[in-house]
Amino acid sequence: WVRVHHAPPYGSPTSWDGRKSFGDARLRSWIKKHQPDVVLSGLWRGRTIGELALRRGRWYTPHTWTDGIGLLANLHVCAGVGGGPYLEYPHDPAGWTARRRDFMLAAPLEAEDGVLVAAATPGLGIVLDEDAVARTRVERMVVTADGTAHTS
């Protein structure tokens, strides 16, 4: 399990892929919490960043600002390396709710008492809502020179 929160800890970088933090001595000296999003950095790089951050006595608390699939990916990497103590994720009612964020999943991901549990099933535990996926499927998107878009 990983304790979750709805906003990044004060002073931490968010929405970056982590490529800058470990090669730059100045950045390493001031970054106390590493918050890459594995949607941007990739699972392997996110895991590596997490392991290095923890070795240096830093927090590894992934920044998640995508959807339920991205949240599950960040949750599993964070739990897998022993990160935390937090995992940031998008939740801003009334507009940005778990149901809206996780529309493509069979059930929205909900924290109970501040804890989100990683599934024990193989993979990331993703169960898609096939009807939602079919409703939002776009076979091909064409954007013309004037900026208009249409499907074909």
Side-chain angles (χ1 to χ4, degrees), residues 125-137:
I126 297 170
V127 179
L128 293 175
D129 177 343
E130 297 295 342
D131 292 334
V133 172
R135 279 192 314 275
T136 58
R137 179 183 215 107

Side-chain angles (χ1 to χ4, degrees), residues 16-19 21-22 34-56 58-63 73-84 124:
W16 52 278
D17 67 6
R19 291 190 182 115
S21 69
F22 288 102
H34 295 272
Q35 290 193 271
D37 186 332
V38 301
V39 171
L40 299 174
S41 68
L43 295 169
W44 180 83
R45 184 183 298 270
R47 186 202 72 190
T48 301
I49 292 167
E51 289 171 347
L52 291 171
L54 293 170
R55 252 187 240 152
R56 292 184 172 141
R58 307 289 204 230
W59 285 11
Y60 176 68
T61 63
H63 168 85
N74 279 298
L75 172 65
H76 278 77
V77 171
C78 187
V81 300
L124 297 177

